[in-house]
Amino acid sequence: MSSNAARVAGRHFLQIPGPTPVPDRILRAMDMPTIDHRGPEFQKLGKRVLDGMKTIFKTDNPVIIYPASGTGAWEAALANVLSPGDKVLMFETGHFATLWKNMAIKLGLHPEFIASDWRIGADADAIEARLREDKAHEIKAVCVVHNETSTGCISLIPEVRKAIDNAGHPALLLVDTISSLASIDFRHDEWGVDVTVSGSQKGLMLPPGLSFNAISDKALAAARKSSMPKLFWSWEEQLPHNAKGYFPYTPGTNLLYGLAEAIDMLHEEGLDNVFARHDRHAEATRRAVRAWGLEVLCRDPKYYSSSLTAVLMPEGHDADSFREKTLNHFDMSLGTGLTKLSGRVFRIGHLGDTNDLTMLGALSGVEMGLSVAGVPHKKGGAQAAMDYLADCARDTLSAAA
């Protein structure tokens, strides 16, 4: 079908912090005839992805796969281990932590929200202090976003686990890794997480449409006592079918083909190499931001995200106007500021199937966009990133010699 719109040469730069670009290899893997989801061919695929996702979460326990967005996995986590009226402790890391809190309210839970300025991750000391006050152990779960997609701040999950243990509190630990899984190191079993939530469209390099719950033995025990109404989200419904490689309803078959390929790709690169690549691109981005004379939203380096960087706009300049001009002139999408950050920040995604040249192209596009939009800045941000990445390459060559 013809269109009056002029063709734009080259590929679109999708530099939002998810969904991320889907590699051709995954697209080709999904380009398969749909098969019988009750047949033996599907059973092999089901077992392959259900077992494979354990290696990505770094767990020996079950991983549930839903045909849903990350929001569905949030609801599944809460609905399976909690009952109406239960108290949960959450930390206000940003827009997505706030949405999870709002969901808890609608499910009949009683969330307590520890406030912050959206410029740090979860404060483990504040969590420990509140749990120590809860002598009757009324708080049933602590919910934390590992990587807050709206701000570019991570929460240090081992510190949160230690805080719960130091307080001698039995609360479950629920963690959202939607924008960190397969981008930032995460260890479900080692870090003592009870339910880990994630989605397909970010570090896993897939289209939106799959979400996950990784679950501990403690979470499974809690699920047996939960009185929250559920059917589609129920682990109890899922696990007997999953044990045989199947699902209790029609699964997202072709997305599962893509997931199997994504798992293979991550292991071919090596998870440690994947994390190091994301760390490198995040540091290159922050060096560019500083060279431009702009400010990273995350105000404490220990909370820096390797999935994305949120950048504060100079006073009097609108981030969405800059993003629009960058899209129109350079065919690059950057992340918008959400809710209280609307118009104040733009977000550069550096997660998923990215490489050094991808990032340099993106950062060059940001620098040109700042110039076209008339945003006050210094020149040389892209050059600072290039210098850093070249130094990293030289270090790699020296180490291999």
mmCIF file of all heavy atoms in Angstrom, residues 233-271:
data_model
loop_
_atom_site.group_PDB
_atom_site.id
_atom_site.type_symbol
_atom_site.label_atom_id
_atom_site.label_comp_id
_atom_site.label_asym_id
_atom_site.label_seq_id
_atom_site.Cartn_x
_atom_site.Cartn_y
_atom_site.Cartn_z
ATOM 1 N N TRP A 233 -3.814 -15.863 36.964
ATOM 2 C CA TRP A 233 -2.498 -15.605 37.547
ATOM 3 C C TRP A 233 -2.039 -16.699 38.512
ATOM 4 O O TRP A 233 -0.921 -16.640 39.020
ATOM 5 C CB TRP A 233 -2.508 -14.272 38.311
ATOM 6 C CG TRP A 233 -2.950 -13.097 37.503
ATOM 7 C CD1 TRP A 233 -4.020 -12.288 37.750
ATOM 8 C CD2 TRP A 233 -2.342 -12.589 36.310
ATOM 9 N NE1 TRP A 233 -4.114 -11.312 36.785
ATOM 10 C CE2 TRP A 233 -3.082 -11.477 35.891
ATOM 11 C CE3 TRP A 233 -1.224 -12.983 35.560
ATOM 12 C CZ2 TRP A 233 -2.769 -10.743 34.758
ATOM 13 C CZ3 TRP A 233 -0.904 -12.253 34.418
ATOM 14 C CH2 TRP A 233 -1.670 -11.147 34.033
ATOM 15 N N SER A 234 -2.867 -17.665 38.777
ATOM 16 C CA SER A 234 -2.599 -18.628 39.847
ATOM 17 C C SER A 234 -1.408 -19.538 39.532
ATOM 18 O O SER A 234 -1.392 -20.243 38.517
ATOM 19 C CB SER A 234 -3.843 -19.494 40.078
ATOM 20 O OG SER A 234 -3.556 -20.548 40.957
ATOM 21 N N TRP A 235 -0.431 -19.546 40.423
ATOM 22 C CA TRP A 235 0.687 -20.489 40.300
ATOM 23 C C TRP A 235 0.187 -21.924 40.438
ATOM 24 O O TRP A 235 0.695 -22.829 39.790
ATOM 25 C CB TRP A 235 1.734 -20.213 41.370
ATOM 26 C CG TRP A 235 2.378 -18.874 41.309
ATOM 27 C CD1 TRP A 235 2.403 -18.009 40.250
ATOM 28 C CD2 TRP A 235 3.104 -18.240 42.358
ATOM 29 N NE1 TRP A 235 3.099 -16.876 40.585
ATOM 30 C CE2 TRP A 235 3.540 -16.985 41.872
ATOM 31 C CE3 TRP A 235 3.429 -18.604 43.664
ATOM 32 C CZ2 TRP A 235 4.288 -16.101 42.644
ATOM 33 C CZ3 TRP A 235 4.173 -17.728 44.439
ATOM 34 C CH2 TRP A 235 4.601 -16.489 43.941
ATOM 35 N N GLU A 236 -0.776 -22.107 41.309
ATOM 36 C CA GLU A 236 -1.315 -23.450 41.543
ATOM 37 C C GLU A 236 -1.888 -24.037 40.258
ATOM 38 O O GLU A 236 -1.771 -25.241 40.006
ATOM 39 C CB GLU A 236 -2.394 -23.391 42.629
ATOM 40 C CG GLU A 236 -2.950 -24.745 43.024
ATOM 41 C CD GLU A 236 -4.033 -24.643 44.087
ATOM 42 O OE1 GLU A 236 -4.544 -23.528 44.321
ATOM 43 O OE2 GLU A 236 -4.370 -25.680 44.676
ATOM 44 N N GLU A 237 -2.508 -23.183 39.444
ATOM 45 C CA GLU A 237 -3.046 -23.629 38.160
ATOM 46 C C GLU A 237 -1.921 -23.929 37.166
ATOM 47 O O GLU A 237 -2.019 -24.835 36.341
ATOM 48 C CB GLU A 237 -3.967 -22.547 37.568
ATOM 49 C CG GLU A 237 -5.237 -22.300 38.350
ATOM 50 C CD GLU A 237 -6.253 -23.417 38.170
ATOM 51 O OE1 GLU A 237 -6.273 -24.043 37.089
ATOM 52 O OE2 GLU A 237 -7.019 -23.673 39.115
ATOM 53 N N GLN A 238 -0.851 -23.128 37.252
ATOM 54 C CA GLN A 238 0.224 -23.217 36.258
ATOM 55 C C GLN A 238 1.163 -24.397 36.476
ATOM 56 O O GLN A 238 1.513 -25.117 35.534
ATOM 57 C CB GLN A 238 1.073 -21.929 36.322
ATOM 58 C CG GLN A 238 0.424 -20.731 35.669
ATOM 59 C CD GLN A 238 0.955 -20.507 34.257
ATOM 60 O OE1 GLN A 238 1.519 -21.397 33.640
ATOM 61 N NE2 GLN A 238 0.759 -19.313 33.758
ATOM 62 N N LEU A 239 1.610 -24.572 37.702
ATOM 63 C CA LEU A 239 2.759 -25.450 37.956
ATOM 64 C C LEU A 239 2.568 -26.903 37.518
ATOM 65 O O LEU A 239 3.498 -27.490 36.948
ATOM 66 C CB LEU A 239 3.140 -25.366 39.438
ATOM 67 C CG LEU A 239 3.809 -24.036 39.835
ATOM 68 C CD1 LEU A 239 3.952 -23.938 41.350
ATOM 69 C CD2 LEU A 239 5.167 -23.888 39.159
ATOM 70 N N PRO A 240 1.422 -27.523 37.742
ATOM 71 C CA PRO A 240 1.283 -28.917 37.273
ATOM 72 C C PRO A 240 1.424 -29.040 35.759
ATOM 73 O O PRO A 240 2.004 -30.017 35.258
ATOM 74 C CB PRO A 240 -0.124 -29.311 37.741
ATOM 75 C CG PRO A 240 -0.440 -28.375 38.852
ATOM 76 C CD PRO A 240 0.229 -27.089 38.496
ATOM 77 N N HIS A 241 0.918 -28.062 35.008
ATOM 78 C CA HIS A 241 1.050 -28.077 33.553
ATOM 79 C C HIS A 241 2.500 -27.809 33.149
ATOM 80 O O HIS A 241 3.041 -28.466 32.258
ATOM 81 C CB HIS A 241 0.122 -27.029 32.931
ATOM 82 C CG HIS A 241 -1.330 -27.313 33.119
ATOM 83 N ND1 HIS A 241 -2.068 -28.059 32.218
ATOM 84 C CD2 HIS A 241 -2.185 -26.961 34.110
ATOM 85 C CE1 HIS A 241 -3.313 -28.150 32.631
ATOM 86 N NE2 HIS A 241 -3.413 -27.490 33.787
ATOM 87 N N ASN A 242 3.119 -26.810 33.797
ATOM 88 C CA ASN A 242 4.500 -26.468 33.469
ATOM 89 C C ASN A 242 5.450 -27.636 33.687
ATOM 90 O O ASN A 242 6.440 -27.795 32.959
ATOM 91 C CB ASN A 242 4.966 -25.281 34.315
ATOM 92 C CG ASN A 242 4.343 -23.956 33.938
ATOM 93 O OD1 ASN A 242 4.548 -22.962 34.617
ATOM 94 N ND2 ASN A 242 3.563 -23.919 32.857
ATOM 95 N N ALA A 243 5.175 -28.439 34.692
ATOM 96 C CA ALA A 243 6.044 -29.586 34.986
ATOM 97 C C ALA A 243 6.139 -30.540 33.800
ATOM 98 O O ALA A 243 7.133 -31.267 33.651
ATOM 99 C CB ALA A 243 5.522 -30.323 36.214
ATOM 100 N N LYS A 244 5.128 -30.507 32.936
ATOM 101 C CA LYS A 244 5.126 -31.376 31.750
ATOM 102 C C LYS A 244 5.469 -30.608 30.475
ATOM 103 O O LYS A 244 5.431 -31.180 29.376
ATOM 104 C CB LYS A 244 3.746 -32.018 31.604
ATOM 105 C CG LYS A 244 3.343 -32.888 32.801
ATOM 106 C CD LYS A 244 1.922 -33.395 32.646
ATOM 107 C CE LYS A 244 1.489 -34.196 33.864
ATOM 108 N NZ LYS A 244 0.076 -34.653 33.752
ATOM 109 N N GLY A 245 5.781 -29.289 30.622
ATOM 110 C CA GLY A 245 6.128 -28.489 29.455
ATOM 111 C C GLY A 245 4.958 -27.779 28.810
ATOM 112 O O GLY A 245 5.090 -27.218 27.718
ATOM 113 N N TYR A 246 3.816 -27.770 29.496
ATOM 114 C CA TYR A 246 2.616 -27.173 28.933
ATOM 115 C C TYR A 246 2.124 -26.020 29.809
ATOM 116 O O TYR A 246 2.696 -25.711 30.854
ATOM 117 C CB TYR A 246 1.510 -28.229 28.799
ATOM 118 C CG TYR A 246 1.842 -29.333 27.824
ATOM 119 C CD1 TYR A 246 2.102 -30.635 28.279
ATOM 120 C CD2 TYR A 246 1.890 -29.085 26.463
ATOM 121 C CE1 TYR A 246 2.406 -31.658 27.383
ATOM 122 C CE2 TYR A 246 2.193 -30.109 25.555
ATOM 123 C CZ TYR A 246 2.453 -31.388 26.029
ATOM 124 O OH TYR A 246 2.750 -32.381 25.145
ATOM 125 N N PHE A 247 0.998 -25.410 29.362
ATOM 126 C CA PHE A 247 0.382 -24.291 30.062
ATOM 127 C C PHE A 247 -1.105 -24.575 30.214
ATOM 128 O O PHE A 247 -1.685 -25.307 29.398
ATOM 129 C CB PHE A 247 0.598 -22.987 29.283
ATOM 130 C CG PHE A 247 2.042 -22.560 29.232
ATOM 131 C CD1 PHE A 247 2.937 -23.138 28.346
ATOM 132 C CD2 PHE A 247 2.515 -21.583 30.098
ATOM 133 C CE1 PHE A 247 4.267 -22.758 28.299
ATOM 134 C CE2 PHE A 247 3.851 -21.191 30.067
ATOM 135 C CZ PHE A 247 4.726 -21.777 29.175
ATOM 136 N N PRO A 248 -1.756 -23.994 31.228
ATOM 137 C CA PRO A 248 -3.175 -24.289 31.447
ATOM 138 C C PRO A 248 -4.097 -23.547 30.492
ATOM 139 O O PRO A 248 -5.316 -23.716 30.549
ATOM 140 C CB PRO A 248 -3.406 -23.841 32.893
ATOM 141 C CG PRO A 248 -2.394 -22.777 33.119
ATOM 142 C CD PRO A 248 -1.192 -23.185 32.326
ATOM 143 N N TYR A 249 -3.547 -22.693 29.622
ATOM 144 C CA TYR A 249 -4.336 -21.955 28.642
ATOM 145 C C TYR A 249 -3.478 -21.811 27.389
ATOM 146 O O TYR A 249 -2.316 -22.245 27.357
ATOM 147 C CB TYR A 249 -4.743 -20.573 29.178
ATOM 148 C CG TYR A 249 -3.640 -19.881 29.944
ATOM 149 C CD1 TYR A 249 -2.469 -19.475 29.302
ATOM 150 C CD2 TYR A 249 -3.742 -19.668 31.316
ATOM 151 C CE1 TYR A 249 -1.446 -18.868 30.001
ATOM 152 C CE2 TYR A 249 -2.717 -19.061 32.020
ATOM 153 C CZ TYR A 249 -1.572 -18.654 31.357
ATOM 154 O OH TYR A 249 -0.560 -18.060 32.048
ATOM 155 N N THR A 250 -4.002 -21.202 26.365
ATOM 156 C CA THR A 250 -3.246 -21.036 25.125
ATOM 157 C C THR A 250 -2.097 -20.057 25.344
ATOM 158 O O THR A 250 -2.327 -18.889 25.670
ATOM 159 C CB THR A 250 -4.152 -20.512 23.996
ATOM 160 O OG1 THR A 250 -5.301 -21.343 23.891
ATOM 161 C CG2 THR A 250 -3.400 -20.477 22.682
ATOM 162 N N PRO A 251 -0.857 -20.503 25.200
ATOM 163 C CA PRO A 251 0.290 -19.618 25.430
ATOM 164 C C PRO A 251 0.633 -18.806 24.186
ATOM 165 O O PRO A 251 0.077 -19.029 23.105
ATOM 166 C CB PRO A 251 1.409 -20.609 25.756
ATOM 167 C CG PRO A 251 1.064 -21.819 24.943
ATOM 168 C CD PRO A 251 -0.445 -21.879 24.894
ATOM 169 N N GLY A 252 1.561 -17.867 24.351
ATOM 170 C CA GLY A 252 2.047 -17.063 23.224
ATOM 171 C C GLY A 252 3.103 -17.842 22.460
ATOM 172 O O GLY A 252 4.295 -17.552 22.550
ATOM 173 N N THR A 253 2.663 -18.801 21.664
ATOM 174 C CA THR A 253 3.573 -19.784 21.066
ATOM 175 C C THR A 253 4.741 -19.139 20.327
ATOM 176 O O THR A 253 5.904 -19.479 20.553
ATOM 177 C CB THR A 253 2.798 -20.696 20.094
ATOM 178 O OG1 THR A 253 1.662 -21.242 20.762
ATOM 179 C CG2 THR A 253 3.684 -21.812 19.587
ATOM 180 N N ASN A 254 4.446 -18.195 19.432
ATOM 181 C CA ASN A 254 5.524 -17.652 18.615
ATOM 182 C C ASN A 254 6.455 -16.752 19.415
ATOM 183 O O ASN A 254 7.654 -16.677 19.121
ATOM 184 C CB ASN A 254 4.945 -16.935 17.400
ATOM 185 C CG ASN A 254 4.378 -17.926 16.397
ATOM 186 O OD1 ASN A 254 3.497 -18.716 16.738
ATOM 187 N ND2 ASN A 254 4.890 -17.917 15.182
ATOM 188 N N LEU A 255 5.936 -16.101 20.443
ATOM 189 C CA LEU A 255 6.821 -15.362 21.347
ATOM 190 C C LEU A 255 7.741 -16.319 22.097
ATOM 191 O O LEU A 255 8.892 -15.980 22.393
ATOM 192 C CB LEU A 255 5.992 -14.538 22.340
ATOM 193 C CG LEU A 255 5.451 -13.208 21.820
ATOM 194 C CD1 LEU A 255 4.477 -12.613 22.836
ATOM 195 C CD2 LEU A 255 6.574 -12.220 21.534
ATOM 196 N N LEU A 256 7.247 -17.507 22.403
ATOM 197 C CA LEU A 256 8.088 -18.497 23.085
ATOM 198 C C LEU A 256 9.213 -18.991 22.179
ATOM 199 O O LEU A 256 10.323 -19.261 22.650
ATOM 200 C CB LEU A 256 7.248 -19.661 23.590
ATOM 201 C CG LEU A 256 6.219 -19.316 24.673
ATOM 202 C CD1 LEU A 256 5.426 -20.561 25.068
ATOM 203 C CD2 LEU A 256 6.882 -18.702 25.903
ATOM 204 N N TYR A 257 8.956 -19.096 20.865
ATOM 205 C CA TYR A 257 10.048 -19.391 19.931
ATOM 206 C C TYR A 257 11.132 -18.307 20.043
ATOM 207 O O TYR A 257 12.333 -18.592 20.074
ATOM 208 C CB TYR A 257 9.534 -19.427 18.491
ATOM 209 C CG TYR A 257 8.891 -20.718 18.061
ATOM 210 C CD1 TYR A 257 7.598 -20.721 17.531
ATOM 211 C CD2 TYR A 257 9.574 -21.925 18.135
ATOM 212 C CE1 TYR A 257 6.999 -21.904 17.096
ATOM 213 C CE2 TYR A 257 8.975 -23.114 17.709
ATOM 214 C CZ TYR A 257 7.699 -23.096 17.203
ATOM 215 O OH TYR A 257 7.111 -24.266 16.786
ATOM 216 N N GLY A 258 10.692 -17.055 20.076
ATOM 217 C CA GLY A 258 11.641 -15.953 20.209
ATOM 218 C C GLY A 258 12.372 -15.988 21.530
ATOM 219 O O GLY A 258 13.576 -15.693 21.605
ATOM 220 N N LEU A 259 11.659 -16.334 22.599
ATOM 221 C CA LEU A 259 12.283 -16.414 23.919
ATOM 222 C C LEU A 259 13.373 -17.472 23.952
ATOM 223 O O LEU A 259 14.459 -17.246 24.516
ATOM 224 C CB LEU A 259 11.224 -16.714 24.979
ATOM 225 C CG LEU A 259 11.722 -16.879 26.409
ATOM 226 C CD1 LEU A 259 12.417 -15.613 26.906
ATOM 227 C CD2 LEU A 259 10.563 -17.247 27.345
ATOM 228 N N ALA A 260 13.118 -18.617 23.344
ATOM 229 C CA ALA A 260 14.134 -19.668 23.310
ATOM 230 C C ALA A 260 15.391 -19.172 22.608
ATOM 231 O O ALA A 260 16.524 -19.439 23.057
ATOM 232 C CB ALA A 260 13.580 -20.907 22.595
ATOM 233 N N GLU A 261 15.214 -18.421 21.533
ATOM 234 C CA GLU A 261 16.364 -17.881 20.802
ATOM 235 C C GLU A 261 17.094 -16.829 21.643
ATOM 236 O O GLU A 261 18.327 -16.784 21.661
ATOM 237 C CB GLU A 261 15.893 -17.269 19.482
ATOM 238 C CG GLU A 261 16.998 -16.996 18.492
ATOM 239 C CD GLU A 261 17.594 -18.261 17.912
ATOM 240 O OE1 GLU A 261 16.930 -19.330 17.940
ATOM 241 O OE2 GLU A 261 18.745 -18.196 17.422
ATOM 242 N N ALA A 262 16.329 -15.990 22.345
ATOM 243 C CA ALA A 262 16.941 -14.956 23.183
ATOM 244 C C ALA A 262 17.794 -15.573 24.290
ATOM 245 O O ALA A 262 18.896 -15.089 24.583
ATOM 246 C CB ALA A 262 15.853 -14.069 23.790
ATOM 247 N N ILE A 263 17.299 -16.625 24.900
ATOM 248 C CA ILE A 263 18.054 -17.307 25.957
ATOM 249 C C ILE A 263 19.369 -17.839 25.386
ATOM 250 O O ILE A 263 20.439 -17.681 25.990
ATOM 251 C CB ILE A 263 17.209 -18.438 26.581
ATOM 252 C CG1 ILE A 263 16.013 -17.862 27.336
ATOM 253 C CG2 ILE A 263 18.063 -19.296 27.522
ATOM 254 C CD1 ILE A 263 14.958 -18.899 27.710
ATOM 255 N N ASP A 264 19.291 -18.445 24.199
ATOM 256 C CA ASP A 264 20.513 -18.948 23.563
ATOM 257 C C ASP A 264 21.494 -17.810 23.290
ATOM 258 O O ASP A 264 22.706 -17.942 23.530
ATOM 259 C CB ASP A 264 20.171 -19.645 22.241
ATOM 260 C CG ASP A 264 19.533 -21.019 22.436
ATOM 261 O OD1 ASP A 264 19.542 -21.525 23.583
ATOM 262 O OD2 ASP A 264 19.041 -21.577 21.443
ATOM 263 N N MET A 265 20.996 -16.692 22.791
ATOM 264 C CA MET A 265 21.867 -15.561 22.453
ATOM 265 C C MET A 265 22.563 -15.006 23.691
ATOM 266 O O MET A 265 23.756 -14.673 23.658
ATOM 267 C CB MET A 265 21.058 -14.475 21.754
ATOM 268 C CG MET A 265 20.591 -14.857 20.364
ATOM 269 S SD MET A 265 19.402 -13.684 19.652
ATOM 270 C CE MET A 265 20.442 -12.233 19.422
ATOM 271 N N LEU A 266 21.832 -14.901 24.777
ATOM 272 C CA LEU A 266 22.417 -14.378 26.016
ATOM 273 C C LEU A 266 23.529 -15.288 26.519
ATOM 274 O O LEU A 266 24.580 -14.822 26.981
ATOM 275 C CB LEU A 266 21.330 -14.213 27.075
ATOM 276 C CG LEU A 266 20.328 -13.074 26.816
ATOM 277 C CD1 LEU A 266 19.109 -13.215 27.711
ATOM 278 C CD2 LEU A 266 20.988 -11.716 27.013
ATOM 279 N N HIS A 267 23.319 -16.590 26.424
ATOM 280 C CA HIS A 267 24.349 -17.514 26.902
ATOM 281 C C HIS A 267 25.526 -17.619 25.934
ATOM 282 O O HIS A 267 26.660 -17.861 26.358
ATOM 283 C CB HIS A 267 23.740 -18.878 27.180
ATOM 284 C CG HIS A 267 22.923 -18.918 28.428
ATOM 285 N ND1 HIS A 267 23.429 -18.553 29.662
ATOM 286 C CD2 HIS A 267 21.621 -19.254 28.655
ATOM 287 C CE1 HIS A 267 22.490 -18.680 30.577
ATOM 288 N NE2 HIS A 267 21.381 -19.087 30.000
ATOM 289 N N GLU A 268 25.262 -17.427 24.656
ATOM 290 C CA GLU A 268 26.372 -17.412 23.703
ATOM 291 C C GLU A 268 27.309 -16.235 23.972
ATOM 292 O O GLU A 268 28.533 -16.360 23.875
ATOM 293 C CB GLU A 268 25.837 -17.346 22.269
ATOM 294 C CG GLU A 268 25.219 -18.647 21.788
ATOM 295 C CD GLU A 268 24.461 -18.484 20.500
ATOM 296 O OE1 GLU A 268 24.705 -17.484 19.777
ATOM 297 O OE2 GLU A 268 23.612 -19.347 20.185
ATOM 298 N N GLU A 269 26.736 -15.091 24.292
ATOM 299 C CA GLU A 269 27.566 -13.931 24.660
ATOM 300 C C GLU A 269 28.158 -14.114 26.050
ATOM 301 O O GLU A 269 29.285 -13.676 26.314
ATOM 302 C CB GLU A 269 26.734 -12.643 24.597
ATOM 303 C CG GLU A 269 27.541 -11.381 24.890
ATOM 304 C CD GLU A 269 26.743 -10.099 24.722
ATOM 305 O OE1 GLU A 269 25.559 -10.161 24.294
ATOM 306 O OE2 GLU A 269 27.301 -9.017 25.003
ATOM 307 N N GLY A 270 27.424 -14.776 26.933
ATOM 308 C CA GLY A 270 27.825 -14.946 28.330
ATOM 309 C C GLY A 270 27.201 -13.852 29.175
ATOM 310 O O GLY A 270 27.377 -12.662 28.883
ATOM 311 N N LEU A 271 26.455 -14.234 30.204
ATOM 312 C CA LEU A 271 25.738 -13.235 30.998
ATOM 313 C C LEU A 271 26.681 -12.194 31.597
ATOM 314 O O LEU A 271 26.359 -11.004 31.629
ATOM 315 C CB LEU A 271 24.920 -13.921 32.098
ATOM 316 C CG LEU A 271 23.655 -14.638 31.630
ATOM 317 C CD1 LEU A 271 22.984 -15.352 32.797
ATOM 318 C CD2 LEU A 271 22.671 -13.666 30.980
#
